[in-house]
Amino acid sequence: MTKKVLVDARGAFCPGPLLELMKAAKVAESGTILQLLTNEQGSRKDVPAWAKKMGHLFLGEEPDEGTAYRLLVQIK
Amino acid sequence: MKKLLIIGGGTAGTMLANKLAKGLTKELDERSVEITVVSEKDYHVYQPGFLYIPFQLKRPEEIVRPIQDVMDPKIKIILDTATEIKEQQKAVTLKSGKTLSYDYLILATGSHPQPVQIPGLEEAGHMFFTMDSALKLQEEMKKFKGGRVVVAVGLPHKCPVAPLEFVMMFEDWVRKQGIRKETEITYAYPLAGPYGTASVAELATREFEERNINIETFFFMDSVDTKTKELLSMDGRRLPFDLLVAIPPHKGAQIIEKSGFGDGDNWLPTDRHQLNLENHESIFVIGDATNLPISKAGSTAHFESEILAENLIDKLRGGEGNKKYSGKVFCFIETGLDKATYISFAYENPPKPVTPSKMVHYGKVGYNNMHWVNLKGIM
């Protein structure tokens, strides 16, 4: 069964949610799906770019509560 | 007697201790409460002042004061190193062998640069996040006559905007030195742009484009080739330099590693509103030591200390102590030697930098001196 890990980065504005995702990726096992919960709109562009750069699989995004988004990345 | 024990005499520990001392005057006079701060140093450093040292805009003595001058006299200061937290006994042991018991323990153990994580950096590069490194960089800049400059960043680190400030101040400085044409500046950052938040990244991108500062994104520092004077990234990029200024990644304190409370980098899992160590009712965390996804910065410590002090005072008086920290942070951002912007944000409110101006710069200059008043817990 695929392991899913929620990374709650709402409010992560300095330096930003991508750092929280990178920290989670550092310790995640291969195949794990990281779900980044973020209310920083820039994440919607930065996270797919980071996933592509690192060879991870960007699975897409879905709206969450209020202005938040859930971005899904599967770790290589 | 109820005992409040604070580990760490930096900005977070000092502000909290002073706010507690002000709020608990009666209890301290009656000796029904004791506030103790354990500090490794007998002095307090205004760390944001390090940024100005390389440019000769601050002298070391302007940003350092004896610890007893910044702490309320009712606070007991112990100059020692905390070595072990004994949770079952509600006690902390010190390097001297002494053991201190507590009713409430507050960990203000800070964040610490790890230059050893980038082999070659200490030999061939420079930093400005400590007094010694900032002074060493100042000497190097006095000799600088132009060349290739690389400012590189490892995450996480305290004061997330400081590298941006340094590179924009440096660009202004070389222009004022009359050597801008002879100087090529590259900013190497591990995220998708020059910052991780869209509004600040847009501001920096605009400034960089107008001022001809190159940017390397997704640049994860690997090592420094000290022979060829090149900074290497993990994906094999090489940036040649004549002057390298790097901000190494930071970690939490050594005692956190031993305590078993922290994550792999010694950050403490902290409740984002109540600031208690997760799953612990008697241990709280403040300042850079938390794992919260917000700036490791003095202003974070300031706003956290307002909430935590009120909650601890309320708890000591039999209350619930359940005020919530909103994630509030305020940071100035120098965009040159005489212009600055600022950002103010919270968990639910993203930052929006204002147009850089001289007025905001003067605000920052003013705050650099106001810090000593702010530390007293009266602002």
Side-chain angles (χ1 to χ4, degrees):
Chain A
M1 193 175 162
T2 307
K3 191 176 173 187
K4 290 181 181 173
V5 175
L6 177 68
V7 182
D8 186 352
R10 286 173 296 174
F13 297 124
C14 264
L18 186 53
L19 174 62
E20 304 308 313
L21 188 62
M22 283 159 55
K23 285 196 304 202
K26 205 167 131 185
V27 293
E29 291 166 18
S30 177
T32 303
I33 294 176
L34 299 180
Q35 305 180 42
L36 179 73
L37 191 53
T38 171
N39 54 348
E40 158 59 33
Q41 295 302 308
S43 302
R44 300 169 67 193
K45 190 176 80 177
D46 294 352
V47 170
W50 169 78
K52 190 177 173 191
K53 174 84 183 167
M54 303 308 291
H56 304 314
L57 187 61
F58 179 66
L59 300 173
E61 65 170 48
E62 48 197 54
D64 204 273
E65 277 177 46
T67 56
Y69 276 84
R70 201 174 278 254
L71 306 175
L72 309 177
V73 175
Q74 186 160 35
I75 299 303
K76 72 174 171 186
Chain B
M1 180 190 281
K2 292 282 183 188
K3 293 181 176 178
L4 290 162
L5 177 58
I6 300 172
I7 308 298
T11 294
T14 304
M15 280 183 179
L16 179 68
N18 283 334
K19 284 191 169 85
L20 288 167
K22 293 231 166 342
L24 293 165
T25 306
K26 186 169 162 281
E27 287 87 346
L28 287 164
D29 288 343
E30 289 170 351
R31 296 183 179 273
S32 59
V33 168
E34 181 184 73
I35 303 169
T36 304
V37 173
V38 176
S39 175
E40 292 182 354
K41 301 184 185 92
D42 63 356
Y43 57 89
H44 179 94
V45 185
Y46 175 56
Q47 295 182 62
F50 291 146
L51 174 68
Y52 300 90
I53 299 272
F55 301 98
Q56 300 181 64
L57 294 170
K58 282 272 179 207
R59 295 186 308 278
E61 60 270 29
E62 290 180 275
I63 60 170
V64 178
R65 291 199 183 174
I67 195 163
Q68 63 270 27
D69 288 4
V70 300
M71 291 274 187
D72 188 293
K74 291 189 169 74
I75 297 163
K76 190 173 170 188
I77 305 166
I78 295 180
L79 298 177
D80 209 327
T81 301
T83 53
E84 194 182 353
I85 299 164
K86 292 179 173 170
E87 194 191 359
Q88 297 302 320
Q89 294 98 314
K90 292 186 97 172
V92 172
T93 43
L94 308 179
K95 199 174 176 182
S96 61
K98 196 185 278 185
T99 297
L100 302 174
S101 62
Y102 64 81
D103 292 286
Y104 291 110
L105 173 66
I106 300 100
L107 299 170
T109 45
S111 61
H112 307 274
Q114 303 293 314
V116 290
Q117 287 189 9
I118 319 290
L121 174 59
E122 287 177 294
E123 191 184 334
H126 288 270
M127 300 179 285
F128 63 91
F129 270 49
T130 62
M131 185 68 85
D132 287 348
S133 64
L135 286 167
K136 193 170 155 237
L137 177 55
Q138 183 191 83
E139 289 307 308
E140 191 66 17
M141 281 170 57
K142 282 179 188 168
K143 294 182 277 181
F144 186 75
K145 301 292 180 219
R148 292 165 301 188
V149 179
V150 173
V151 177
V153 183
L155 293 173
H157 64 80
K158 67 181 88 192
C159 196
V161 296
L164 281 180
E165 293 183 287
F166 180 85
V167 75
M168 291 190 280
M169 288 169 74
F170 187 87
E171 194 277 334
D172 199 1
W173 180 79
V174 287
R175 253 188 298 127
K176 290 186 166 80
Q177 300 290 310
I179 51 173
R180 182 64 184 96
K181 280 185 186 164
E182 295 81 18
T183 306
E184 183 185 284
I185 305 172
T186 300
Y187 190 71
Y189 200 66
L191 300 181
Y195 205 69
T197 303
S199 59
V200 180
E202 282 160 19
L203 171 101
T205 302
R206 206 162 48 240
E207 292 284 335
F208 284 14
E209 280 172 4
E210 282 173 12
R211 297 157 68 170
N212 198 24
I213 298 170
N214 307 316
I215 177 149
E216 288 282 336
T217 57
F218 290 129
F219 192 97
F220 298 91
M221 279 189 280
D222 177 77
S223 59
V224 179
D225 187 328
T226 57
K227 286 184 183 143
T228 61
K229 291 190 84 174
E230 289 175 303
L231 176 65
L232 279 63
S233 70
M234 287 180 185
D235 61 4
R237 277 175 279 173
R238 304 177 79 94
L239 296 178
F241 63 82
D242 297 297
L243 174 62
L244 169 64
V245 181
I247 291 84
H250 289 38
K251 281 178 79 170
Q254 197 70 35
I255 187 179
I256 305 306
E257 190 172 334
K258 289 185 199 161
S259 73
F261 294 146
D263 64 16
D265 289 324
N266 303 343
W267 308 120
L268 288 157
T270 305
D271 184 281
R272 59 166 54 199
H273 294 300
Q274 298 292 334
L275 302 174
N276 58 295
L277 180 67
E278 280 180 6
N279 306 314
H280 294 76
E281 288 182 1
S282 307
I283 304 178
F284 293 84
V285 193
I286 188 167
D288 292 4
T290 75
N291 72 338
L292 297 178
I294 50 175
S295 305
K296 296 189 182 302
S299 90
T300 308
H302 169 103
F303 293 117
E304 287 174 342
S305 71
E306 286 180 346
I307 300 299
L308 187 52
E310 281 203 40
N311 284 347
L312 286 169
I313 291 167
D314 194 39
K315 280 174 188 285
L316 285 167
R317 291 174 179 165
E320 294 284 313
N322 55 11
K323 282 203 168 180
K324 288 183 174 180
Y325 173 58
S326 65
K328 189 175 177 185
V329 182
F330 178 97
C331 293
F332 286 105
I333 307 174
E334 298 275 27
T335 57
L337 296 177
D338 57 6
K339 274 190 179 178
T341 177
Y342 69 84
I343 46 175
S344 176
F345 53 97
Y347 292 139
E348 301 298 331
N349 302 306
K352 285 181 194 159
V354 298
T355 304
S357 69
K358 284 193 177 186
M359 194 58 80
V360 180
H361 166 72
Y362 295 138
K364 168 124 191 188
V365 170
Y367 182 77
N368 287 338
N369 297 314
M370 288 279 282
H371 172 72
W372 304 109
V373 181
N374 195 14
L375 262 188
K376 300 276 184 185
I378 54 179
M379 280 174 71

